[in-house]
Amino acid sequence: MWQEAKVIARIDWNHQLFTLKLSADIAPFIAGQFIKLSQHIDGKRIARAYSLVNAPSDDYLEVLAVSVEEGQLSPNLQALQVGDSIDISTKASGFMTLDELPQQGRDLWLFATGTAVGPFISMMRTEQPWQRFEHLVLVYGVRLAADLAYYQELLALKAQYGDQLKLVLSVTREQFDGAMNCRIPTGMAAGEIEDKAGLTISPESSQVMICGHPEMIKTLSAQLNERGLVKNLRRAPGQITVEKYW
């Protein structure tokens, strides 16, 4: 089912990365879920999934997207201006939510590459993770510093929550003050991520959510498996919850 959504605001983080804020009346959703955006292009409906960045209590919808030159939909999305319309699914989907995590674990580790930080921003805009976990660690990997969407908001959250929030940034193609200069699995293997967080990942203390590039998810999951962490399933609760972005 589709309905029309209106663009009410946009943010351009760089020449490819952008946020759209939309006005639409969809069914209630849970932080971490995604919706689909769609257009008719050359007589065919093209639809793509985008995680919601806004908190469920907000009166607007928000998505973070990157325009890919050869993409079927993303260049059209980047061209949208305030007042333009886009089709949106009437109901959000997805199981990468805090509600799906077992109750065990003191620390919540969130690993994201690129636009996959979106669902984690949504979670962090709610009270749930702050009330439930002693520490929240966001490990956020990008190529360039200009790709760090919501960076100022993350700094504000850090100021608000202090030592409860650990920000571990990874910028792979340039030096950025305080950030790692390597890919997330490399930083994990070297112990740099845990050193920066001042915490250790273990089956007893940690819940881990991973979202983003499939190879990152595959490699990081294998590293965590070696430490005794296992995928979280409804029939067999574990410590690792994942969502691939393509």
Side-chain angles (χ1 to χ4, degrees), residues 139-154:
V139 185
Y140 181 11
V142 296
R143 292 176 299 175
L144 301 170
D147 299 327
L148 288 168
Y150 300 98
Y151 179 57
Q152 293 301 321
E153 180 174 345
L154 292 173

Side-chain angles (χ1 to χ4, degrees), residues 97-111 120 123 129 132-139 199-210 220 224 228-233 236-242:
T97 68
L98 295 175
D99 292 353
E100 293 291 326
L101 301 185
Q103 286 303 309
Q104 70 181 74
R106 178 196 68 201
D107 304 325
L108 176 62
W109 292 76
L110 306 174
F111 288 85
F120 297 147
M123 294 176 194
R132 178 173 169 184
F133 293 96
E134 186 173 328
H135 299 108
L136 189 155
V137 185
L138 176 64
V139 185
L199 297 168
T200 301
I201 297 178
S202 72
E204 296 77 27
S205 67
S206 309
Q207 283 294 324
V208 180
M209 305 183 86
I210 315 172
L220 182 58
L224 295 172
L229 285 77
V230 297
K231 189 172 182 179
N232 178 41
L233 303 171
Q239 300 86 19
I240 305 171
T241 302
V242 306

Side-chain angles (χ1 to χ4, degrees), residues 23-209:
S23 175
D25 186 20
I26 69 168
F29 76 97
I30 302 170
Q33 292 189 308
F34 61 87
I35 45 90
K36 289 187 176 181
L37 299 180
S38 169
Q39 283 184 333
H40 279 100
I41 301 173
D42 297 329
K44 187 167 73 172
R45 182 178 288 280
I46 305 297
R48 295 290 184 268
Y50 290 91
S51 291
L52 290 165
V53 183
N54 58 293
S57 58
D58 289 333
D59 60 359
Y60 59 87
L61 304 176
E62 184 173 349
V63 296
L64 175 64
V66 62
S67 180
V68 181
E69 188 174 342
E70 65 274 17
Q72 289 184 289
L73 183 62
S74 62
N76 291 28
L77 295 183
Q78 190 180 26
L80 292 174
Q81 300 298 321
V82 173
D84 290 342
S85 298
I86 182 75
D87 286 343
I88 188 172
S89 54
T90 57
K91 185 177 180 181
S93 306
F95 297 100
M96 198 188 69
T97 68
L98 295 175
D99 292 353
E100 293 291 326
L101 301 185
Q103 286 303 309
Q104 70 181 74
R106 178 196 68 201
D107 304 325
L108 176 62
W109 292 76
L110 306 174
F111 288 85
T113 53
T115 58
V117 76
F120 297 147
I121 297 290
S122 178
M123 294 176 194
M124 294 166 73
R125 286 174 167 177
T126 72
E127 292 298 318
Q128 190 175 2
W130 310 109
Q131 293 175 349
R132 178 173 169 184
F133 293 96
E134 186 173 328
H135 299 108
L136 189 155
V137 185
L138 176 64
V139 185
Y140 181 11
V142 296
R143 292 176 299 175
L144 301 170
D147 299 327
L148 288 168
Y150 300 98
Y151 179 57
Q152 293 301 321
E153 180 174 345
L154 292 173
L155 293 181
L157 286 169
K158 175 65 178 171
Q160 179 179 355
Y161 290 101
D163 196 51
Q164 188 179 6
L165 173 60
K166 316 283 188 176
L167 289 179
V168 181
L169 305 179
S170 173
V171 180
T172 60
R173 295 191 181 180
E174 64 182 4
Q175 297 292 329
F176 185 67
D177 188 35
M180 300 187 302
N181 187 223
C182 62
R183 295 186 176 186
I184 287 174
T186 303
M188 189 67 193
E192 190 173 358
I193 290 175
E194 288 165 299
D195 285 347
K196 284 187 173 294
L199 297 168
T200 301
I201 297 178
S202 72
E204 296 77 27
S205 67
S206 309
Q207 283 294 324
V208 180
M209 305 183 86

